[in-house]
Amino acid sequence: MTDKATNLTFHSGSILRADRQRLLSQKGVCLWLTGLSASGKSTIACLVEKALLDGSKLAYRLDGDNIRMGLNRNLSFSADDRAENIRRIGEVAKLFVDAGVIVLVSFISPYARDREQARAAMGAGDFLEVYVKVSLAEAEKRDPKGLYKKARSGQITGFTGIDDPYEPPLKPEIVIDTETSEPQQSAANIVDYLQQNGYLAA
Amino acid sequence: MTDKATNLTFHSGSILRADRQRLLSQKGVCLWLTGLSASGKSTIACLVEKALLDGSKLAYRLDGDNIRMGLNRNLSFSADDRAENIRRIGEVAKLFVDAGVIVLVSFISPYARDREQARAAMGAGDFLEVYVKVSLAEAEKRDPKGLYKKARSGQITGFTGIDDPYEPPLKPEIVIDTETSEPQQSAANIVDYLQQNGYLAA
């Protein structure tokens, strides 16, 4: 039971991300979907997840459902807490990437600075920004949850696109135009990108 | 592009934890290792991780190295922040469990209440408390990082076992006595537990 420190150092380094990636036959990567409410982020993320699983690839989605009620349930919608919300999501995504998982992050994430911080926290090639593009007019027309209507009538405030800005990505790795491409096709395009860039092999 | 809400609901439910577990031929579970500093938590966690990978099972470790400098880098060592530290770790572990991963959590986590909150946040059978047991005398004798010495001399304060309490688990699923069992054997015992309780099959 001597040499604990030596043991620790040795064993800490013995299993690496590369080992996990070999087991999974894929590379860990974060697909960061950003776009207005009702742009179709979640729909596309779910379709990508399904296509990947059909190809025996392990993906996991981080979205409002599993983050806002869990890890980030002690955050408000203040400016500081919104930034902390995205920071924590980025850090968790980084852990999943290190685990070898293809992690699909699906949040409006309206501020370029917050997204750039998430990118900067990860290694080169580990963060792929996916701009899920829709015009405000089209998003308002869809409005599946009636949120734009509530924002227009002042029932909710600080709503992205109405009384809070959305900063589009300047150099996203992937752009999805949801007004010209169906969700199935958009998802297929994302999977193609992963395939062509070597993410679906270890 | 109509019926976004319907699409969303359908696709959200289409990929489940069970699907990921089938892909991985394992069940997602959190092994929560708790014990004094120098008890051997990290050494044992690394050995378990290696044994699992050798058996083509996906494990991932959450420990000070990847949490304190990342997700929890904005937390101090105040009482509130220590609780928040463990809360966030528990929430992240829960996400990994949902992803189908065997997640090894390796922190002193001295307070029973914090560990019980992590357990309560997860489903039945998803949280296995592993008490990595060592006497204070033996931990101080090992003292690989010289931390006990510093705590005794007052150079560091609030150190678990010296001037801050360690609350042993009352009903841990697994107990590892590191004064009578070598790390390799302890790790093998943990893997056996997983095997015998069905975690290493989907």
Side-chain angles (χ1 to χ4, degrees):
Chain A
M1 298 302 288
T2 53
D3 293 333
K4 300 302 283 188
T6 311
N7 276 346
L8 181 61
T9 306
F10 173 74
H11 295 302
S12 288
S14 66
I15 301 295
L16 301 171
R17 174 174 165 186
D19 298 307
R20 292 183 285 269
Q21 294 185 156
R22 265 192 297 275
L23 172 66
L24 297 170
S25 298
Q26 66 185 44
K27 290 192 184 75
V29 66
C30 171
L31 286 162
W32 191 288
L33 282 71
T34 173
L36 290 174
S37 179
S39 60
K41 296 181 298 300
S42 294
T43 300
I44 291 166
C46 289
L47 289 168
V48 171
E49 182 187 25
K50 180 153 176 35
L52 289 171
L53 189 79
D54 287 346
S56 297
K57 302 301 173 189
L58 180 65
Y60 189 66
R61 277 183 301 116
L62 299 178
D63 59 24
D65 290 341
N66 57 16
I67 291 290
R68 267 284 175 195
M69 301 301 283
L71 178 66
N72 290 356
R73 71 164 184 265
N74 56 359
L75 296 177
S76 73
F77 287 88
S78 72
D80 279 358
D81 277 8
R82 281 175 186 230
E84 172 66 4
N85 178 52
I86 297 298
R87 188 194 72 82
R88 289 188 197 170
I89 292 163
E91 292 289 353
V92 172
K94 184 182 175 182
L95 294 170
F96 274 96
V97 169
D98 189 41
V101 178
I102 299 169
V103 60
L104 293 148
V105 172
S106 174
F107 291 85
I108 298 172
S109 46
Y111 304 124
R113 189 194 50 208
D114 295 343
R115 297 191 305 265
E116 286 310 307
Q117 279 178 358
R119 179 191 291 274
M122 299 193 208
D126 290 352
F127 181 96
L128 303 177
E129 197 171 19
V130 182
Y131 178 22
V132 184
K133 200 173 170 180
V134 67
S135 65
L136 179 61
E138 171 65 16
E140 280 204 72
K141 206 168 79 185
R142 295 176 186 171
D143 204 14
K145 301 173 193 163
L147 297 174
Y148 284 99
K149 203 173 168 192
K150 283 186 183 167
R152 286 288 185 198
S153 72
Q155 281 181 269
I156 49 178
T157 57
F159 193 76
T160 299
I162 305 297
D163 57 347
D164 217 60
Y166 178 79
E167 300 171 0
L170 297 180
K171 290 184 179 178
E173 277 77 6
I174 302 173
V175 179
I176 301 294
D177 187 334
T178 68
E179 296 188 54
T180 59
S181 173
E182 289 297 315
Q184 283 283 5
Q185 185 56 51
S186 300
N189 291 348
I190 292 173
V191 174
D192 281 350
Y193 183 97
L194 293 176
Q195 179 74 51
Q196 284 163 21
N197 288 276
Y199 290 100
L200 303 187
Chain B
M1 298 302 290
T2 54
D3 291 335
K4 301 301 284 187
T6 310
N7 276 346
L8 182 62
T9 305
F10 174 73
H11 294 303
S12 288
S14 65
I15 300 295
L16 300 171
R17 175 174 164 186
D19 298 306
R20 291 183 285 269
Q21 294 185 156
R22 265 192 296 276
L23 172 66
L24 296 170
S25 298
Q26 66 185 42
K27 291 191 184 76
V29 66
C30 171
L31 286 162
W32 190 287
L33 282 72
T34 172
L36 291 173
S37 178
S39 59
K41 297 179 298 299
S42 293
T43 301
I44 291 167
C46 290
L47 290 168
V48 170
E49 182 187 26
K50 177 152 178 36
L52 289 171
L53 188 80
D54 287 346
S56 297
K57 302 302 173 190
L58 180 65
Y60 189 65
R61 277 183 300 117
L62 300 177
D63 59 23
D65 290 342
N66 56 18
I67 291 291
R68 267 285 174 194
M69 302 301 284
L71 178 65
N72 290 356
R73 71 163 185 265
N74 55 359
L75 296 177
S76 74
F77 288 89
S78 72
D80 279 358
D81 277 8
R82 280 174 186 231
E84 172 67 3
N85 179 52
I86 297 299
R87 188 194 72 81
R88 289 188 197 168
I89 292 163
E91 293 289 355
V92 172
K94 184 180 176 183
L95 294 170
F96 274 96
V97 169
D98 189 41
V101 178
I102 300 169
V103 60
L104 293 147
V105 172
S106 175
F107 290 87
I108 296 172
S109 46
Y111 304 125
R113 188 193 51 208
D114 295 343
R115 297 191 305 265
E116 286 311 307
Q117 280 179 358
R119 179 191 291 274
M122 300 193 208
D126 289 351
F127 181 95
L128 303 176
E129 197 171 17
V130 182
Y131 179 20
V132 183
K133 200 174 171 181
V134 68
S135 65
L136 180 60
E138 171 65 15
E140 280 205 71
K141 207 168 79 185
R142 293 175 187 171
D143 204 13
K145 300 176 195 161
L147 297 173
Y148 284 99
K149 204 175 168 190
K150 283 186 184 167
R152 285 289 185 197
S153 71
Q155 281 181 269
I156 49 179
T157 59
F159 194 76
T160 300
I162 305 298
D163 57 346
D164 217 60
Y166 178 79
E167 300 170 1
L170 297 179
K171 290 184 177 176
E173 277 76 6
I174 303 173
V175 179
I176 301 295
D177 188 334
T178 67
E179 296 188 53
T180 60
S181 174
E182 289 297 315
Q184 282 283 4
Q185 185 57 51
S186 301
N189 291 348
I190 293 173
V191 175
D192 281 351
Y193 183 98
L194 294 176
Q195 179 74 52
Q196 283 164 24
N197 288 276
Y199 291 101
L200 305 186

